[in-house]
Amino acid sequence: MQKIGFDNEKYLKEQTEAILDRVKKFDNKLYLEFGGKLCYDFHAARVLPGYDPNVKLRLLQSLKEKIDIILCIFAGDIERGRIRGDFGITYDIATLKLIDDLRKWGLDIIAVVITRYTGQQSAQNFKNKLERRGIKVYLHFPIEGYPTDINTVCSDKGFGKNEYILTNKPIVIVTAPGPNSGKLSTCLSQLYHEHKRGINAGYAKFETFPIWNLPLKHPVNVAYEAATADIGDFNLVDPFHLNRYNEIAINYNRDVESFPILKLILNRITASTYSSSTTAATSAATTATAAAAGATNTNTNTNTTTNNNKNKIDNEVISQSWSKKNTLNQAKNIPMYNSPTDMGVNRAGFGIIDDALVQQAAKQELIRRYFRYNTEYVLGIEKKETVDKVLILMEELGVKVTDREVVEVARQAATEAEKKGKGNDGIFCGAAIQLNDGKIITGKNSKLMHAASSLILNAVKYLANIPDEIYLLSPQVINQIALLKKGIFKSESESLDLEETLIALAISATTNHTAEIAMSKLKELKNCEVHMTHIPTPGDDVGLKRLGVNLTTDGNFASRNLFIN
């Protein structure tokens, strides 16, 4: 049984109360941007053992009568066919999936916003598809000078030209299928329209990582930094929070860099009139942004706090230049934020009940992330700098790849396969899986089946207490699949990949009770740790994903061919 390091119920209570408290401060109208994944947050589940990947959906379900939901998707992502890595589907398809997932929880969206729309035909086609299924779609457009040209941004030529979305509930959830989809600009655009209508709406950000009240180099925060290394993000001490409260809080570079301008935009939107000292305010914002960028460029070494102290930014520079607006805001009782940490709603740290267990889990996630980036580098997808960044983070925590127990065992299996003359076409693959009881099972490739196939069959045999000498797959079924592959499909290899093996197991189970028992054990493999010495073929990859295992590979190619079907 999996050990628990995170209390979902405690987190739900804390996070729900924090959201309801925040909405009360804004005249009972809050636009809540959801950072990270709304559902299927498997990163959080891996670093916080016990975390429910769909706990955010549970939270929204409990607030169902108080929320409207808006989904954002960037028109450029639709045009380019951007892929969401965890599911291997494009962002437009991921948007449809997210709508379906929400509906399964009894949650309906009120609109989809296509952001930064410039007439892309594929975006227009997507709009048509949604509207013909009864889903409202709104268009938001690029804004010249966004976000620094505040005079244009906060005008009818900026946010004002975006279509206004009518909402009825006190909390408006703004989410997306992935990052850089335009969630923040959608929130700000809505705030602009709301305040023009005399509604004193506010903004906040639902956060999970980094966890602000954990140390900068806590493994959970380091694992998050590794997860975003591919887009160049890094964690740091929030200099605004430190300056205002003399309290260390952890945030990440983009939120810190954008805070001065974002605060000015919020000030401008929430003011009924504004001071004539626009030039001074814009100058203050530019200076503050430069200082914040200086603070973030200190990187993530151990003296981050010292460097950030040197780069403290006095928020009074901003507030003085907007004294007239602030007086108006105070009169309307609209709270303003003093730091990006203030802006967030994040109680994840209070759900941790076993810090030692969580630290160990986060270190394991750091290793998994290294293997993922390394494989993507081999495939030509990722940069070498990303791989090196994660290696540095591992060194800082004293973590080695072999701390992942299945790694060395899988490599030994590959070596044994070569010694025993197994393998296929001169390729010797090893695989290992660690089951929930701690037992590690291995598999090797052969002319008959792939390493992933033998691994899974060996694992379910162990779980079902089936002796190794008993066959699970009918020889007749295997022969017919081989005939189909070689004789009809003209495949170069008749070796069964995992997807084919699972189908063969299901067919065998109709006449073989032992195979039926083994197949019933497949569900026990979910969340087990797997390592393979070679990159899985498409059929192996599909099968492993459907079983829900946590896979890493050494990044070796499983075939000498450049094209693998």
Side-chain angles (χ1 to χ4, degrees), residues 159-448:
F159 292 137
K161 70 180 179 181
N162 289 334
E163 295 178 335
Y164 172 63
I165 306 163
L166 181 64
T167 61
N168 299 309
K169 305 290 179 63
I171 304 170
V172 182
I173 305 299
V174 181
T175 188
N180 300 316
S181 295
K183 298 188 297 279
L184 174 59
S185 62
T186 298
C187 289
L188 296 176
S189 178
Q190 284 292 107
L191 286 183
Y192 175 84
H193 285 286
E194 297 282 19
H195 280 268
K196 285 192 71 174
R197 289 162 171 77
I199 301 170
N200 295 329
Y203 165 81
K205 189 174 182 181
F206 186 116
E207 297 277 24
T208 306
F209 302 109
I211 297 180
W212 65 273
N213 56 339
L214 291 181
L216 180 66
K217 291 302 177 182
H218 190 286
V220 167
N221 283 339
V222 175
Y224 173 72
E225 187 167 332
T228 56
D230 56 333
I231 56 175
D233 279 359
F234 55 88
N235 301 333
L236 74 166
V237 174
D238 181 346
F240 298 96
H241 206 81
L242 183 65
N243 183 46
R244 182 60 184 249
Y245 305 108
N246 195 29
E247 176 183 82
I248 291 177
I250 308 306
N251 215 294
Y252 74 107
N253 57 303
R254 281 187 290 131
D255 272 8
V256 169
E257 289 166 1
S258 64
F259 177 71
I261 289 292
L262 178 54
K263 183 171 181 177
L264 284 176
I265 291 174
L266 289 172
N267 260 308
R268 176 66 64 89
I269 289 172
T270 56
S272 57
T273 59
Y274 57 91
S275 169
S276 59
S277 55
T278 304
T279 304
T282 305
S283 174
T286 304
T287 303
T289 302
T296 59
N297 286 334
T298 59
N299 294 321
T300 54
N301 51 30
T302 53
N303 63 349
T304 300
T305 303
T306 303
N307 288 332
N308 279 303
N309 278 327
K310 293 177 181 178
N311 287 287
K312 288 180 183 178
I313 300 172
D314 189 353
N315 286 330
E316 294 303 315
V317 173
I318 299 173
S319 61
Q320 285 171 10
S321 64
W322 291 89
S323 57
K324 194 169 186 179
K325 291 201 311 299
N326 285 345
T327 302
L328 289 166
N329 287 336
Q330 289 166 8
K332 293 191 292 184
N333 295 317
I334 301 173
M336 294 307 297
Y337 297 116
N338 296 307
S339 72
T341 302
D342 279 350
M343 202 170 286
V345 181
N346 182 357
R347 307 296 290 177
F350 298 96
I352 295 174
I353 56 175
D354 187 337
D355 186 63
L357 179 63
V358 163
Q359 289 200 37
Q360 184 57 37
K363 290 177 181 179
Q364 288 296 314
E365 177 64 10
L366 191 57
I367 301 171
R368 283 189 290 263
R369 191 63 62 169
Y370 160 74
F371 277 118
R372 173 178 168 176
Y373 286 145
N374 184 63
T375 299
E376 289 176 346
Y377 170 70
V378 170
L379 293 171
I381 300 170
E382 196 48 78
K383 305 180 293 294
K384 185 67 164 63
E385 292 78 11
T386 303
V387 180
D388 293 340
K389 168 76 178 294
V390 179
L391 280 173
I392 291 171
L393 294 175
M394 289 171 62
E395 288 175 7
E396 289 178 352
L397 295 184
V399 175
K400 305 184 296 295
V401 294
T402 51
D403 290 339
R404 181 169 167 78
E405 293 183 54
V406 287
V407 171
E408 200 59 46
V409 180
R411 292 171 177 174
Q412 290 171 2
T415 301
E416 290 174 11
E418 186 171 11
K419 286 180 180 178
K420 294 179 179 180
K422 290 193 173 184
N424 187 28
D425 195 26
I427 302 292
F428 304 94
C429 304
I433 182 170
Q434 187 170 37
L435 303 174
N436 290 323
D437 65 357
K439 176 74 173 180
I440 296 180
I441 305 294
T442 62
K444 310 173 187 67
N445 72 320
S446 66
K447 292 183 178 180
L448 185 64

Side-chain angles (χ1 to χ4, degrees), residues 495-507:
S495 183
L496 270 63
D497 64 36
L498 180 55
E499 190 175 27
E500 294 163 341
T501 299
L502 293 176
I503 293 171
L505 180 63
I507 295 171

